[in-house]
Amino acid sequence: MTQTDGYLLDNRQTEAGQRFDAFATLFDPTTFRHIERFGIGSGWRCWEVGAGGTSVASWLAKKVGPTGRVVATDIDTSWAASAARPPVEIRVHDVGAEEPPGEGFDLVHARLVLVHVPDRERALRSMVKALRPGGRLLVEDADPALQPLLCPDEHGPEQQLANRLRQGFRKLLAERGADLSYGRKLPRLLREAGLREVEADAYFPVTSTACADLESATVRQIRGQLVTAGIATNEDIDRHLANVASGSMDLATAPMISAWGRK
């Protein structure tokens, strides 16, 4: 992620690791399916942007083997540090403010990163610049405005409370510069960046244990901000966390839109 004073979801908090685990469970199969279709194999050079946790970088390392290279970058690499062994190189890097960590990459990938980056345009240009001719870019980002509800089936007070807190979360994100409709723009932005063979799809989990784990970790991580902003009381949050833990609600995520193209 790109460092800003107002970034809502700090990687240094304990809950960040729980969020990374939930993201891996929810979204790794989609990410890996796309990259497999690109034909990834031994010797590939990959840049994993905003790595966060280790799941994608570690999977890439197995695919590229000892002759390949995986550069995993983030503004806070504490959660990814355990993956720092050949062919994985971990670097502290701000994709929205710094030059890319090299060029000639066969694959550049970012997941749930650019929506939070203030200078998204520069970040995308940097990622395209880093590709070799014919290299692949895969950008995957949420579109919370496309589906704003935590509980699409809002049939009772528990779901109403959940959706009120989700609305507050979206408000906090927007106040810190997140583009809540960024995901849907990705195909156009990749074409405008000069990529060819651009395609996209979306994945939208409606209910799972990982959705509940993600919601619990997120609410605990931003609890103070929700209370300070007057969005919810501590009692509201305690009640919501108990509802989530009960397993009685169908909790969804925002759609994750995956867009890819070739340089």
Side-chain angles (χ1 to χ4, degrees):
M1 302 301 179
T2 294
Q3 181 69 56
T4 71
D5 292 338
Y7 182 53
L8 190 63
L9 297 162
D10 191 335
N11 282 6
R12 291 167 292 185
Q13 294 176 268
T14 302
E15 291 85 1
Q18 297 161 350
R19 284 170 49 81
F20 294 148
D21 289 344
F23 284 144
T25 300
L26 288 166
F27 300 126
D28 276 2
T30 297
T31 297
F32 298 163
R33 171 171 57 86
H34 290 310
I35 297 175
E36 288 273 19
R37 287 182 60 222
F38 300 157
I40 188 172
S42 272
W44 271 44
R45 296 155 295 172
C46 307
W47 176 19
E48 177 65 14
V49 181
T54 64
S55 66
V56 176
S58 297
W59 182 86
L60 290 172
K62 292 177 183 177
K63 291 294 179 178
V64 305
T67 61
R69 183 186 184 208
V70 178
V71 180
T73 63
D74 205 316
I75 59 165
D76 181 346
T77 59
S78 54
W79 293 101
S82 63
R85 55 185 174 275
V88 178
E89 176 186 349
I90 306 294
R91 288 196 195 180
V92 176
H93 179 266
D94 186 337
V95 68
E98 299 179 63
E99 288 297 303
E103 296 187 3
F105 288 104
D106 300 287
L107 169 71
V108 177
H109 171 246
R111 185 174 74 192
L112 304 176
V113 174
L114 296 190
V115 68
H116 300 288
V117 175
D119 197 345
R120 285 175 281 273
E121 184 178 349
R122 175 174 176 173
L124 191 58
R125 287 199 309 267
S126 176
M127 292 162 64
V128 172
K129 178 182 178 181
L131 287 167
R132 66 165 176 81
R136 298 278 197 164
L137 175 65
L138 172 63
V139 182
E140 302 179 294
D141 240 313
D143 196 311
L146 194 62
Q147 194 296 105
L149 301 177
L150 178 62
C151 295
D153 180 20
E154 188 183 272
H155 71 276
E158 296 87 356
Q159 290 77 18
Q160 291 168 0
L161 173 60
N163 285 340
R164 177 161 66 84
L165 293 182
R166 176 54 58 90
Q167 182 180 10
F169 176 40
R170 293 175 63 238
K171 179 175 182 289
L172 292 174
L173 284 172
E175 287 173 351
R176 286 157 175 79
D179 183 348
L180 301 182
S181 59
Y182 188 65
R184 74 191 72 177
K185 302 173 185 176
L186 287 172
R188 170 175 58 82
L189 294 175
L190 265 58
R191 286 194 301 271
E192 290 176 352
L195 297 186
R196 52 195 173 88
E197 301 175 22
V198 173
E199 298 183 47
D201 65 15
Y203 174 60
F204 172 34
V206 175
T207 189
S208 73
T209 300
C211 287
D213 291 343
L214 177 61
E215 173 64 9
S216 178
T218 300
V219 169
R220 285 186 281 108
Q221 189 166 4
I222 64 170
R223 179 182 193 127
Q225 292 96 323
L226 289 169
V227 173
T228 299
I231 292 166
T233 65
N234 278 305
E235 291 74 18
D236 291 334
I237 294 170
D238 287 340
R239 186 164 71 254
H240 175 61
L241 289 173
N243 292 338
V244 172
S246 75
S248 61
M249 295 191 298
D250 294 319
L251 306 178
T253 72
M256 184 182 75
I257 297 178
S258 304
W260 58 94
R262 186 192 295 272
K263 186 173 182 179

